[in-house]
Every structure is written in structure tokens, then in C-alpha cells.
């Protein structure tokens, strides 16, 4: 092909690309450059053979070209003015259509200068590109970068394209497929026509048939290393014809959906920026000094923007355009959830508009699920709850949720779903705008009703001799799994019921959860739950319910929160009320829990008396489960007085009782047995039988772990570590105590953390080169004691201060 024709097509294509990148029409470019619209059109089509140097310079100015870009532009125009090779003859039509000009396109837009948090993905793409260009087999040549609106897919694809472009000598194509309204999606045939023109095929030689266009594109890309960036794809059907055929080619596709229908494709989901990367992005936009001046406000701004790159860019741009604003001022504006999406708008960028594009593509049922799911109070949810709030069946809800994930407006973790914070606000806006108040109220009530009913059903699976007919749960483990996973939702529903005066429902749920609370003592807010129950029982005028829930509350305060004094106060009210109404069973439970607190407070003799009276009362009313619970506490009091053999005899009887089951649920029986093993281990330790004690603790620890009773597991591990320490097995003791410490810390149990840290410090004392470590452990233990006020805490605090002063 003659040189002049090749260069002319290349210059025209470059002129068109630069004009489109800057968002200019041919009329606007002509006006800026002092040229005619016809002249611009003729140059872009390649029909002008010799653009004048002055015209080229004016065009470069109008396009704001500088540096290497300007030099390339002028050089191509200069080459265009050179005469054709002497004697050369134009090819015939067949040759032109099959052998277009060899053009090396470079269509990537400018990369953002402040891309952050994507280094790992960029490195992964670089490795993949190297494998592609090296011809390594089984290397995917298509990568889908997918994620929700505003996550930065295009920015990453462009940045990756610039980094990878040296490996693709055949050039780079960039096509905005406009896969979301209002402008798109681009027809694949039209996209192919543009790509063919970019590869040197004249307009007159672009096939009319979409199939022929695809065939020619594959022919042209079969033997050239080409990078193709397909931005903002709609679906698989749109991108399939646009994929290059050569083994040395790589296609990067950005899409809100993962395009699971494309075979042989690598998929890279884009996550939210981590907090450090979010702050780095703000710093790059706003300036280091301004961000460093308000570090706490900057971190809060990252959080309020949901770590979404688009939101952070908008926030940064707003700060740049308002130099008088402090970062804290913008944070204050964003605190108001009703205004947050409006504040996160700058020029033609807006978080709301990004979400709007996806929402308007949803079918009516999926859109309703999207709106109604915003009523769910917890951070995540399952299809069954969505079905309740959306007023549909579970299968329909599940399908809609998957569609929302595909659309990029819902996140998924396993079989559960969640909103990004800003998407939830948008969904709530759509709910308020599109549904009548009565509909919203009805949907909310349906959700609360369903949660309260399901929670009662789950709790019933743990009750002795439970009535499990018509339960949606197969067993107590399935019920425990549901209660754990939905805790954020059912607890919010319980609070809602309490606020709205649904007292009978609150009482029923609080009572139903009692036996479940035994296995999850430190996992949920049992003091709040049972306190809501007490208040509701008072409102319903049911003194027996009130006595029952006061006993539960007393247990939660001392056992779960180490608030011994508050626990005694609640139990005193329960004891008084039970005696006034003649409820001997609740009187016995109040005495049992009170005895347990007296043991903690160093009043073992009083505890024995309370425990004995409780045992007698339970026997009187024929409540054998309560009788053995009280006997176990009585054994603990005997051990506290040094009467270990008597305590061990009691605890063996209790263990044998629990091993018989006696109507307890599988989990309840296992937890009760492990509790008795732990008590027996303490008795054996008191007698100096450390190996036997260690064995009991180890058995208990394994049972607690299997049942998910995390606090009790930590307690057994703690005691196991102390037994191993007494046996001189230092390394094993340190390992057990370290595991216990991690569990206590996860449950936020400062008093138990302090005791474990102190035990670890004692282990460190045994090694002469670990004095600094021992001191640090004691200091951490002292910090964890904090402001807790109990005799044992005061004693440990004084000991730690003395030992730290001496070290």
C-alpha cells in the first residue's frame, strides 16, 4: 500500500480519537481551530492529502496537545504531505478490503494520576499479560474487571492498559460500550465498525454485515499483539464479537456484572478501598498538608464515603473547590444520611446518578426487593427475610437478590447479602419516593412479625422437653446457626417491638431465648435482651414473667458482664417477687444465681446456705434440672472453702445427671456436661491432682468448642493452661493460655483477659531473658482491669501494681 495512504489514514484516525477524547464535536473543534467543519471532516476521513502546517498547529492548540503527543501529531501530518512512492499503483478493491492499512492505534484515555489501592491487581494483570504475550498455554486472554457502581473499574482498566501497552506492539483499542442507560448500550456491529476503522480499514471498506465485520476483525487481530479495553459492557452478547482472535491479544472488560457466561475468562472483582488507601486517595486529591491537619476527620470522611472510590473522589473535589472548608466541615455535612447522596455530587459526577443507572434497568419485582430490603436493620440478610419484607416467596426473593448482585448494587458473602452503606441510602430514597407510607409500614410490620416468630421458634429448640412440632429448624444446631447469623436483625426487631408497645411479643421472645443464652453467654447483649423482657413483663402486669426475666437478667449481669452488684440487685427483686406470688421455682433460681455471685465475692459460706435452700425448693417442686444446677453451685462453694473431695462428689453426680440427657437439647446437654467437667477439674486441681484436672479441662474445652460456647471454651482453656503450668509443661501452658486470651479478647471480656495475661506473665518470669516481656504482660493486665470494681479485681490490681513497681 502506498506510504501516503497509510499515513493519511493514521493522521485522520488520530485526529478523530483526540477530538472524541476531549468531548468535542467537529463543529466545536473547527470553531476552536479557526477551520471549517468540512475541513475537519475531510481530514478525519483521510480525503485531505496535505493539511497545511498552520492548520495542524492550530488544531494542536485547540486540542491542548503538548510534549510527545504534540510532536507525534505534527509528525504524522508532515508525513502526510510527502509524495507517494514513485511508480506505486493503488491496489484493487479486493486487496484493499482484505489488506487494510497497518495502523498502530493508541486509543487509551489519559490515566488518573491518583489511582490507589489497586497495586496488587495491577501486578496480577502484568503477570497475566506477560503470560499472554509469551504464548503460554491455558492463559486466559480475557479479563473481566467487575464490581458495583463507583468502584473504579474504568480507572483501573485504563491504568492497567497504560502499564501493559509496551507488551502489545499491535496497539491499544479503547471502546466505551455504554452498557448502562441513558446512552447505551452500543450495538456490537457499530463498535466493530469503529474498531476496524481504528485498525486502518477505510469507511468504504467496512463490511455491512455484522458477521463479516466480526470475521474481518478476527482476521486482522489473529497475528498481531493487541490490547483491547472494552469499557462499561452490558452483557456477554455485546462483548463476544469484539474479542480479538490472536493468542497474543488481551482484552480487558469492565462491567458491573461478572459476565459469567464468557468461557475461558479470568474475573477480577473490585473491592472497596481499605481505609489507608482511601485516605491516600484523599491526600492525592486534596493535598497532604490539609489531610494531615485533620487526621481523625479524614478517617471519618473515608468511612462516611463507604470507602467507595467515586464517593471519595467527589468528596476530594468538593474540598479542592472549597478551600475555606475544613475536612471536618464536610464530615458534618455527610453525617446527615438524608443529605449524604446530595452532598456527594460534584459537577457531572454523582453517587446517586451512578446507582440510578443500575436501578432503572431492574424489572419491577427486583426493584421492589431492592427497595424493601433497605428496611432490614442488620448489616446482612438471607432470602427468607427478604421474602418476608418484600411480600413474596423465598424462591422469587433469592432470584431477585442474585439479579441485584449481578447488577452490582448488592454485595454477597456466601449465602447472605448486604448493601453498601451508600447504596442502602439510595434504596431508602427510592422506597420513600415510590411506595406509599401505608405500604412501607405494612412491609416493616411483616418483617418484624416474621423475625419475632422465627426467633421464638429457634429459641424453643433449646428448651428442655421442647415442643418442636411445625418448627422450621431440624435441630438445635440449625436453630443456633440461624440465631447467630440473624442476631443483628432479630435483636433490632425485639427493640422495635419494645418501642412500639408489643409487650407480650417481647416477653415471649426474651423467655424463649433463655436456654440458648447458656451456650452463647458472651456473644449477644443478654443484659439488654432480658432487661427489655423485664420492662415488658411489668407493662403486661405479669409478675411471674417478671420474676423469671429478673432471674435471667441477674444471671446476664454477673455472668456475662461481671457486674456482680447489679446482678445481686436484679436477683433480690426476683427473690422478693417470687416469694410474694408463691413461685417456689423462681425463688429457687434466684437463690441459685445469688449463691454463684457470693462465691465470686468470697462469701462461700453464704453461698452454701443459698445453694442448700435452692436444692430443697427444687426438690419440693420436682424440678430435677434446677436441683442439679443448684447442686453444682453448691459444689463450687464447697471448693471455695477447700472442701474439694465433697465438691468433687457433688460434681460427679451432676455430670452423671447431665449425661443421661433428662430432656435437654443436644447442645444444652453437651454444654451442661462440659460445665460439670470444668467444675470437677477445679476440684481435682484443688486436691493437687493436676494431671487429672488437665484431662477434665481438655475434655470440657473440646465439647465447648464443638458447641460454639466460646466463653466457656476460653474458660476451660484458661484452666487447662494453669494445670499444665503446675505440671511444668511451660510451652503447652503458654499455647493454651494464648488461645484463651484470643477468645476472651474477641468476646471483649476484660477481667478474664487480665487474669490470663497475669498467668502468661508468670510463665515469662520462669525465663531469665523474658523479664521485659513479663513486665509488658503485667502492664497489659493492669490496663484490662480498668475501672472494674469487685474484690477479686481489686486484689489483682494491687498485686500487679506492686509487682510492676518491684520489676
Amino acid at each position: 500500500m502506498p506510504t501516503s495512504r497509510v499515513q493519511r489514514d493514521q493522521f485522520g484516525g488520530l485526529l478523530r480519537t483526540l477530538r472524541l477524547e476531549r468531548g468535542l464535536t467537529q463543529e466545536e473543534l473547527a470553531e476552536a481551530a479557526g477551520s471549517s467543519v468540512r475541513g475537519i471532516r475531510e481530514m478525519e476521513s483521510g480525503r485531505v492529502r496535505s493539511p497545511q502546517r498552520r492548520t495542524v498547529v492550530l488544531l494542536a492548540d485547540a486540542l491542548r496537545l503538548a510534549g510527545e503527543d504534540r510532536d507525534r501529531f505534527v509528525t504524522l501530518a508532515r508525513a502526510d504531505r510527502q509524495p507517494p512512492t514513485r511508480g506505486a499503483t493503488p491496489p484493487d478493491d479486493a486487496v484493499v478490503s482484505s489488506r487494510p492499512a497497518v495502523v498502530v492505534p493508541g486509543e487509551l484515555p489519559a490515566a488518573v494520576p491518583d489511582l490507589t489501592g489497586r497495586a496488587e491487581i495491577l501486578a496480577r494483570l502484568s503477570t497475566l499479560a506477560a503470560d499472554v504475550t509469551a504464548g503460554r498455554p491455558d492463559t486466559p486472554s480475557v479479563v473481566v474487571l467487575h464490581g458495583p457502581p463507583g468502584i473504579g473499574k474504568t480507572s483501573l482498566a485504563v491504568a492497567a492498559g497504560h502499564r501493559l501497552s509496551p507488551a502489545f506492539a499491535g496497539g491499544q483499542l479503547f471502546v466505551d460500550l455504554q452498557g448502562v442507560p441513558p446512552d447505551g448500550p452500543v450495538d456490537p456491529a457499530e463498535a466493530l465498525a469503529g474498531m476496524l476503522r481504528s485498525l486502518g480499514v477505510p469507511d468504504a471498506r467496512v463490511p455491512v454485515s455484522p458477521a463479516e465485520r466480526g470475521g474481518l476483525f478476527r482476521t486482522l487481530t489473529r497475528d498481531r499483539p493487541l490490547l483491547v479495553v472494552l469499557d462499561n459492557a452490558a452483557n456477554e452478547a455485546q462483548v463476544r464479537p469484539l474479542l480479538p482472535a490472536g493468542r497474543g491479544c488481551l482484552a480487558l472488560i469492565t462491567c458491573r456484572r461478572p459476565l459469567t457466561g464468557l468461557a475461558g475468562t479470568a474475573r477480577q472483582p473490585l473491592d472497596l478501598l481499605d481505609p489507608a488507601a482511601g485516605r491516600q486517595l484523599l491526600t492525592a486529591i486534596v493535598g497532604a498538608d490539609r489531610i494531615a491537619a485533620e487526621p481523625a476527620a479524614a478517617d471519618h470522611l473515608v468511612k462516611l464515603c463507604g470507602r467507595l472510590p467515586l464517593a471519595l473522589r467527589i468528596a476530594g473535589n468538593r474540598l479542592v473547590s472549597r478551600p475555606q472548608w475544613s475536612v471536618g466541615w464536610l464530615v458534618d455535612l455527610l453525617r446527615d444520611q438524608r443529605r449524604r447522596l446530595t452532598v456527594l455530587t460534584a459537577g457531572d459526577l454523582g453517587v446517586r446518578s451512578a446507582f440510578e443507572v443500575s436501578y432503572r434497568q431492574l424489572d419491577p419485582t427486583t426493584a421492589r426487593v431492592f427497595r424493601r430490603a433497605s428496611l432490614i436493620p442488620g448489616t446482612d440478610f438471607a432470602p427468607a427475610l427478604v421474602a418476608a419484607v418484600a411480600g413474596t416467596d423465598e424462591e422469587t426473593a433469592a432470584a431477585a437478590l442474585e439479579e441485584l448482585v449481578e447488577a452490582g448494587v448488592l454485595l454477597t458473602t456466601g449465602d447472605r447479602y448486604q448493601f453498601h452503606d451508600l447504596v442502602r441510602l439510595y434504596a431508602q430514597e427510592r422506597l420513600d419516593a415510590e411506595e406509599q407510607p401505608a405500604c412501607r409500614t405494612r412491609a416493616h410490620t411483616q418483617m418484624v412479625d416474621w423475625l419475632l416468630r422465627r426467633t421464638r421458634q429457634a429459641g424453643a429448640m433449646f428448651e428442655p422437653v421442647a415442643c418442636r412440632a411445625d418448627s422450621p429448624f431440624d435441630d438445635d444446631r440449625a436453630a443456633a446457626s440461624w440465631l447467630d447469623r440473624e442476631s443483628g436483625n432479630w435483636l433490632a426487631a425485639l427493640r422495635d417491638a419494645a418501642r412500639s408497645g408489643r409487650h407480650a411479643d417481647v416477653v415471649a421472645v426474651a423467655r424463649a431465648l433463655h436456654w440458648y443464652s447458656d451456650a452463647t453467654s458472651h456473644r449477644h447483649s443478654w443484659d439488654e435482651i432480658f432487661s427489655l423482657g423485664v420492662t415488658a413483663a411489668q407493662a403486661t402486669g405479669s409478675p411471674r414473667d417478671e420474676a423469671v426475666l429478673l432471674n435471667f437478667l441477674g444471671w446476664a449481669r454477673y455472668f456475662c458482664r461481671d457486674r456482680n452488684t447489679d446482678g445481686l440487685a436484679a436477683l433480690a427483686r426476683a427473690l422478693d417477687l417470687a416469694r410474694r406470688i408463691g413461685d417456689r421455682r423462681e425463688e429457687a433460681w434466684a437463690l441459685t444465681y445469688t449463691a454463684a455471685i457470693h462465691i465470686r465475692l468470697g462469701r462461700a459460706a453464704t453461698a452454701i446456705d443459698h445453694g442448700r435452700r435452692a436444692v430443697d425448693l427444687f426438690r419440693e417442686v420436682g424440678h430435677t434440672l434446677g436441683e442439679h444446677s443448684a447442686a453444682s453451685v453448691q459444689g463450687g462453694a464447697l471448693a471455695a472453702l477447700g472442701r474439694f473431695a465433697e465438691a468433687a462428689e457433688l460434681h460427679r453426680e451432676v455430670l452423671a445427671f447431665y449425661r443421661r440427657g433428662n430432656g435437654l437439647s443436644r447442645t444444652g446437654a453437651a454444654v451442661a456436661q462440659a460445665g460439670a467437667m470444668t467444675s470437677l477439674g477445679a476440684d481435682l486441681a484443688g486436691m493437687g491432682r493436676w494431671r487429672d484436672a488437665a484431662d477434665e479441662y481438655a475434655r470440657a474445652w473440646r465439647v465447648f468448642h464443638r458447641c460454639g460456647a466460646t466463653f466457656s471454651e476460653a474458660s476451660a482453656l484458661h484452666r487447662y493452661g494453669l494445670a499444665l503450668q503446675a505440671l511444668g509443661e511451660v510451652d503447652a501452658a503458654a499455647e493454651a493460655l494464648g488461645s484463651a486470651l484470643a477468645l476472651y479478647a474477641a468476646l471483649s471480656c476484660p477481667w478474664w483477659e487480665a487474669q490470663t495475661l497475669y498467668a502468661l506473665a508468670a510463665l515469662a518470669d520462669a525465663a531469665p531473658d523474658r523479664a521485659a516481656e513479663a513486665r509488658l504482660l503485667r502492664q497489659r493486665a493492669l490496663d484490662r482491669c480498668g475501672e472494674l470494681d469487685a474484690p477479686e479485681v481489686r486484689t489483682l490490681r494491687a498485686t500487679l501494681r506492686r509487682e510492676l513497681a518491684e520489676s
Side-chain angles (χ1 to χ4, degrees):
M1 179 168 288
T3 302
S4 61
R5 179 60 180 271
V6 173
Q7 298 294 344
R8 184 167 64 251
D9 285 346
Q10 190 169 359
F11 174 77
L14 178 61
L15 176 62
R16 179 175 180 273
T17 297
L18 291 170
R19 175 178 63 78
L20 292 176
E21 284 181 355
R22 284 150 180 78
L24 298 173
T25 64
Q26 290 179 338
E27 289 79 6
E28 290 169 339
L29 178 59
E31 181 178 355
S35 181
S36 67
V37 175
R38 180 179 179 182
I40 299 295
R41 186 178 301 120
E42 295 289 336
M43 281 185 277
E44 288 188 354
S45 66
R47 288 192 286 271
V48 169
R49 291 179 175 275
S50 53
Q52 297 297 314
R53 177 176 177 78
R54 181 174 180 278
T55 299
V56 173
V57 171
L58 289 172
L59 284 170
D61 291 339
L63 293 168
R64 303 187 302 281
L65 297 177
E68 294 180 359
D69 292 340
R70 187 183 184 95
D71 293 340
R72 180 185 178 211
F73 185 82
V74 174
T75 299
L76 287 177
R78 186 184 304 120
D80 214 7
R81 290 198 296 273
Q82 295 177 2
T85 303
R86 187 180 300 276
T89 58
D92 58 32
D93 287 352
V95 175
V96 171
S97 64
S98 61
R99 293 176 177 268
V102 179
V103 176
V104 180
E107 296 184 346
L108 289 173
V112 296
D114 47 23
L115 186 74
T116 61
R118 306 303 188 198
E120 184 177 339
I121 298 177
L122 287 171
R124 196 176 302 134
L125 292 174
S126 295
T127 300
L128 188 146
D131 290 343
V132 167
T133 55
R136 290 190 173 87
D138 301 324
T139 300
S141 58
V142 179
V143 180
V144 177
L145 304 173
H146 63 93
I151 202 69
K153 299 180 290 294
T154 299
S155 296
L156 175 60
V158 171
H162 282 286
R163 174 182 283 203
L164 304 179
S165 59
F168 297 92
Q172 313 94 42
L173 295 177
F174 181 89
V175 184
D176 182 359
L177 295 174
Q178 301 176 20
V180 290
D183 300 323
V186 171
D187 186 280
E190 285 300 311
L192 277 169
M195 295 166 79
L196 289 172
R197 283 192 292 268
S198 296
L199 292 173
V201 179
D203 283 340
R205 303 304 177 187
V206 173
V208 175
S209 162
E212 290 179 351
R213 289 179 183 180
L216 179 56
F217 177 68
R218 290 189 293 275
T219 298
L220 295 178
T221 58
R222 190 170 303 282
D223 298 315
R224 64 187 296 172
L226 186 71
L227 176 66
V228 178
V229 179
L230 303 174
D231 187 39
N232 201 9
N235 50 45
E236 293 88 343
Q238 187 189 34
V239 299
R240 279 196 186 98
L242 312 181
L243 300 178
R247 292 191 61 181
C249 297
L250 178 65
L252 298 180
I253 305 171
T254 71
C255 188
R256 298 185 178 189
R257 303 170 181 269
L259 300 181
T260 52
L262 289 181
T265 299
R267 290 174 180 82
Q268 177 60 62
L270 268 63
D271 295 325
L272 300 171
L273 297 178
D274 63 46
R279 182 168 174 169
Q280 183 182 349
L281 177 57
L282 281 178
T283 300
I285 298 171
V286 180
D289 292 344
R290 205 165 163 192
I291 297 300
E294 299 178 82
D299 290 342
H300 200 176
L301 181 57
V302 172
K303 182 178 180 181
L304 289 172
C305 288
R307 298 185 284 128
L308 189 71
L310 174 62
L312 286 165
R313 288 189 183 281
I314 292 171
N317 290 343
R318 296 212 69 178
L319 287 171
V320 169
S321 66
R322 305 286 200 284
Q324 73 277 14
W325 282 11
S326 66
V327 178
W329 175 261
L330 181 55
V331 166
D332 288 339
L333 287 178
L334 291 173
R335 287 183 201 275
D336 186 349
Q337 294 187 359
R338 296 167 301 177
R339 301 176 54 198
R340 191 175 302 168
L341 295 182
T342 300
V343 173
L344 288 175
T345 303
D348 61 351
L349 286 180
V351 172
R352 181 187 285 110
S353 59
F355 300 153
E356 183 85 13
V357 164
S358 290
Y359 178 71
R360 293 305 173 194
Q361 297 179 81
L362 302 176
D363 64 75
T365 298
T366 304
R368 185 174 75 251
V369 166
F370 175 73
R371 296 190 302 268
R372 298 275 186 92
S374 68
L375 290 169
I376 296 174
T379 57
D380 55 36
F381 41 84
L385 177 56
V386 174
V389 74
T392 185
D393 60 86
E394 189 171 344
E395 184 177 352
T396 300
L401 290 169
E402 284 300 311
E403 175 60 24
L404 291 169
V405 171
E406 285 280 312
V409 292
L410 208 60
L411 307 174
T412 180
T413 52
D415 59 350
R416 296 184 70 76
Y417 303 85
Q418 64 184 83
F419 281 110
H420 181 274
D421 290 347
L422 297 178
V423 178
R424 180 189 286 273
L425 292 179
Y426 175 75
Q428 290 170 344
E429 283 188 354
R430 299 322 314 154
L431 181 67
D432 291 341
E434 299 183 31
E435 300 203 29
Q436 294 296 320
C439 294
R440 300 197 301 269
T441 300
R442 184 165 56 251
H444 178 266
T445 301
Q446 289 172 182
M447 174 188 68
V448 172
D449 287 346
W450 186 89
L451 282 167
L452 296 178
R453 181 173 62 255
R454 189 61 61 95
T455 304
R456 289 197 305 273
Q457 292 169 328
M461 298 298 291
F462 296 86
E463 294 181 4
V465 197
C467 179
R468 294 164 185 152
D470 301 323
S471 174
F473 303 103
D474 293 334
D475 53 31
D476 54 345
R477 291 184 181 177
S481 175
W482 185 88
L483 285 166
D484 287 347
R485 286 148 60 94
E486 296 289 351
S487 60
N489 293 314
W490 61 254
L491 180 54
L494 188 66
R495 291 168 178 154
D496 185 274
R499 285 193 301 270
S500 58
R502 299 176 59 172
H503 304 304
D505 288 329
V506 173
V507 169
V509 170
R511 291 201 58 168
L513 290 170
H514 168 58
W515 290 100
Y516 165 70
S517 70
D518 275 353
T520 56
S521 56
H522 290 65
R523 196 177 305 162
H524 304 302
S525 303
W526 294 115
D527 52 337
E528 178 193 1
I529 292 166
F530 295 138
S531 182
L532 290 174
V534 169
T535 302
Q538 291 170 338
T540 61
S542 173
R544 186 173 191 282
D545 284 328
E546 185 181 352
V548 169
L549 288 160
L550 278 168
N551 274 325
F552 296 170
L553 178 59
W555 168 83
R557 285 178 173 174
Y558 91 83
F559 191 77
C560 305
R561 291 290 180 262
D562 297 312
R563 291 162 50 193
N564 297 324
T565 302
D566 291 339
L568 283 175
L571 293 168
R573 290 170 57 196
L575 183 62
D576 178 65
L577 186 56
R579 285 172 173 168
R580 281 196 285 116
I581 63 175
D583 191 329
R584 293 178 177 270
R585 177 164 161 163
E586 291 311 313
E587 180 183 353
W589 278 119
L591 289 168
T592 301
Y593 294 139
T594 300
I597 298 179
H598 282 311
I599 294 172
R600 286 190 169 194
L601 297 176
R603 305 168 188 164
T606 304
I608 287 178
D609 180 60
H610 280 66
R612 186 179 297 114
R613 289 161 57 199
V615 168
D616 292 341
L617 284 169
F618 279 129
R619 283 177 180 165
E620 182 180 328
V621 298
H623 187 32
T624 56
L625 182 58
E627 176 187 342
H628 286 81
S629 296
S632 183
V633 173
Q634 191 175 11
L638 289 170
L641 290 173
R643 296 160 61 179
F644 299 112
E646 296 174 70
E649 183 179 354
L650 263 180
H651 288 138
R652 286 192 181 98
E653 290 178 6
V654 170
L655 179 57
F657 171 81
Y658 288 137
R659 281 176 172 160
R660 293 193 294 272
N662 288 289
L664 286 169
S665 68
R666 180 169 51 181
T667 299
V671 169
Q673 288 175 47
M677 292 173 195
T678 304
S679 298
L680 179 57
D683 302 334
L684 295 169
M687 290 185 279
R689 295 169 55 182
W690 290 107
R691 177 57 61 192
D692 292 335
D695 290 344
E696 290 294 341
Y697 292 144
R699 280 192 287 270
W701 150 45
R702 287 190 286 270
V703 173
F704 285 135
H705 177 75
R706 191 165 59 247
C707 295
T710 309
F711 174 78
S712 297
E713 177 189 355
S715 179
L717 268 171
H718 183 183
R719 292 169 182 267
Y720 179 56
L722 295 178
L724 293 174
Q725 181 183 11
L727 290 167
E729 299 176 19
V730 176
D731 291 342
E735 182 179 358
L737 289 169
S739 298
L741 179 63
L743 293 175
Y744 283 141
L747 294 171
S748 188
C749 301
W751 165 232
W752 299 98
E753 287 179 65
Q755 294 179 83
T756 311
L757 286 164
Y758 184 58
L760 286 167
L763 284 176
D765 286 338
D769 59 340
R770 296 175 63 191
E773 180 186 350
R775 179 176 176 80
L776 178 60
L777 288 166
R778 283 186 171 84
Q779 185 59 60
R780 288 176 60 194
L782 184 60
D783 292 341
R784 297 312 289 150
C785 284
E787 300 301 319
L788 294 172
D789 187 25
E792 62 268 36
V793 181
R794 291 194 293 271
T795 299
L796 179 58
R797 188 185 291 121
T799 301
L800 287 166
R801 285 172 176 164
R802 185 185 70 253
E803 292 179 357
L804 283 168
E806 293 172 353
S807 63

